[in-house]
Amino acid sequence: MAEFLLEILSEEIPARMQDRARADLATMVSTVLDEAGLDHGDVSTFATPRRLCLVMENVAIEQADREIERRGPRSDAPEKARDGFLRSLGDVDYVLGEVEDKKGRFILARYTEKGRTTRHLLEEALPGVLAGFPWPKSMRHGDDEARWVRPLHGILARVGNDVLDMTFSGVQSGSATRGHRFMAPTPFEVSGFADYAAKLEQARVVLDGARRRETIARLAADLARGRNLRLREDEALLDELKGIVEWPVPLLGRIDDGFMELPEEVLVTSMREHQRYLALEDDAGKLAPFFITVANIEAPDGGKAIIEGNERVLRARLWDAKFFWD
């Protein structure tokens, strides 16, 4: 038994597509192994803005040998038909017999089909799996006819100690990946899933989307409490934010007092729909003049420039909102 690890690294995957892609990847890879008669254990999938990952435990390293019976032409068929059937068997070591049913007697060939290795089966099947992946929207990159949700950067594929040798959309598979786009872009080799997950964490990538979501909610709540406020509940936005960042860093910004005269629905809609900002409120449920944005980087200045930039963008958004409201 061996572990199968697959990662497809690309440009940013839209957050709304990530969870569905995880489920589709698990189903399609499991189907390949099941149809090949290969036993396997649990399947886990992960998605970040830049990567789609699958790990499968206890995968059989090769198929079991199978006893095959192939029925040929009728026993009294012309010699030409008999010879054509035997040629179709190829070089296998077969034994001929006959079988009878209500339609007559037929030639029967019995032989043992040698099981193939899991590595070779996956090398053959995975390009087709990726080519047929059901993205809601996909694109071609360069001159290649293969389609993926965004341009590909790398494919990591290992079965046990073996590295798969396959190509999709002009990208050759290997045993290396990259971490955070800005904070740890240098490629690194991995030997298995535990090594992969640990090195990604060191390279500023939180692989588990549920952990990214929990981190955003926890750190944002801490920032709100620092102002004696609380997060306004928005589960859907938290779900989306986990798919936008690989290394979540919530930051607190301020709304200009002059805009607080606008109805709360106008303010929240402008922040949420356009900027993906979390709103804050006081204990009475009244909207507070603060927002939380989630950065994807630990900035050297502690996020000061990021906050100022987001406040400037929000100011322009709210000027538009105020104009239309007035």
Side-chain angles (χ1 to χ4, degrees), residues 10-300:
S10 68
E11 296 290 335
E12 275 69 9
I13 305 168
R16 68 183 184 278
M17 298 184 187
Q18 292 172 20
D19 287 340
R20 172 64 184 274
R22 289 175 48 213
D24 287 337
L25 184 64
T27 298
M28 296 174 78
V29 172
S30 296
T31 298
V32 167
L33 297 184
D34 292 341
E35 290 180 349
L38 288 164
D39 293 334
H40 61 84
D42 294 337
V43 182
S44 300
T45 54
F46 305 90
T48 79
R50 297 184 63 217
R51 65 199 78 227
L52 189 58
C53 170
L54 175 143
V55 59
M56 183 178 285
E57 301 174 355
N58 299 322
V59 179
I61 59 174
E62 63 181 5
Q63 292 175 306
D65 295 346
R66 295 190 301 169
E67 298 300 320
I68 305 296
E69 291 187 350
R70 281 187 56 188
R71 196 172 76 165
R74 291 173 59 94
S75 299
D76 57 357
E79 192 71 21
K80 188 175 182 179
R82 178 188 178 95
D83 292 343
F85 171 65
L86 295 180
R87 283 196 302 273
S88 72
L89 298 175
D91 296 331
V92 298
D93 188 12
Y94 56 83
V95 175
L96 290 181
E98 292 187 349
V99 63
E100 185 172 3
D101 61 21
K102 61 183 180 181
K103 295 183 179 180
R105 294 183 67 82
F106 294 83
I107 300 171
L108 187 70
R110 297 184 177 90
Y111 59 92
T112 300
E113 183 178 75
K114 184 69 175 175
R116 300 177 64 196
T117 65
T118 303
R119 171 185 175 177
H120 290 138
L121 281 165
L122 287 172
E123 287 174 343
E124 183 178 283
L126 281 178
V129 168
L130 300 182
F133 205 84
W135 293 107
K137 290 184 178 180
S138 59
M139 62 189 300
R140 288 182 297 165
H141 179 53
D143 296 329
D144 199 287
E145 290 298 316
R147 303 182 70 89
W148 195 246
V149 62
R150 293 292 186 270
L152 282 180
H153 286 185
I155 300 172
L156 187 160
R158 299 183 62 102
V159 176
N161 294 323
D162 294 329
V163 179
L164 269 59
D165 181 12
M166 53 169 275
T167 302
F168 174 71
S169 189
V171 176
Q172 175 67 37
S173 63
S175 59
T177 187
R178 300 181 182 92
H180 192 281
R181 181 190 293 274
F182 304 112
M183 293 190 288
T186 305
F188 55 86
E189 298 280 331
V190 301
S191 59
F193 178 71
D195 184 49
Y196 167 78
K199 287 180 176 176
L200 276 183
E201 193 84 18
Q202 294 171 3
R204 298 296 190 271
V205 175
V206 179
L207 182 62
D208 187 351
R211 266 193 61 209
R212 293 197 303 276
R213 189 187 193 281
E214 185 276 330
T215 298
I216 293 168
R218 174 172 48 81
L219 296 181
D222 290 345
L223 289 173
R225 277 193 295 270
R227 295 281 182 169
N228 295 317
L229 300 170
R230 67 189 184 196
L231 286 178
R232 177 161 289 189
E233 185 174 342
D234 196 335
E235 299 298 319
L237 182 54
L238 285 172
D239 284 338
E240 184 175 4
L241 286 170
K242 75 175 171 55
I244 294 176
V245 294
E246 290 195 316
W247 190 257
V249 182
L251 299 169
L252 181 71
R254 186 175 182 89
I255 304 171
D256 291 355
D257 290 337
F259 295 119
M260 296 308 294
E261 301 173 358
L262 289 168
E264 289 190 0
E265 293 85 354
V266 175
L267 286 165
V268 172
T269 298
S270 296
M271 292 192 296
R272 185 187 193 281
E273 299 301 324
H274 295 295
Q275 302 302 129
R276 306 300 188 264
Y277 294 160
L278 292 162
L280 276 60
E281 61 187 18
D282 60 22
D283 290 338
K286 181 181 178 182
L287 189 70
F290 295 95
F291 66 89
I292 288 178
T293 183
V294 182
N296 189 38
I297 190 171
E298 292 177 352

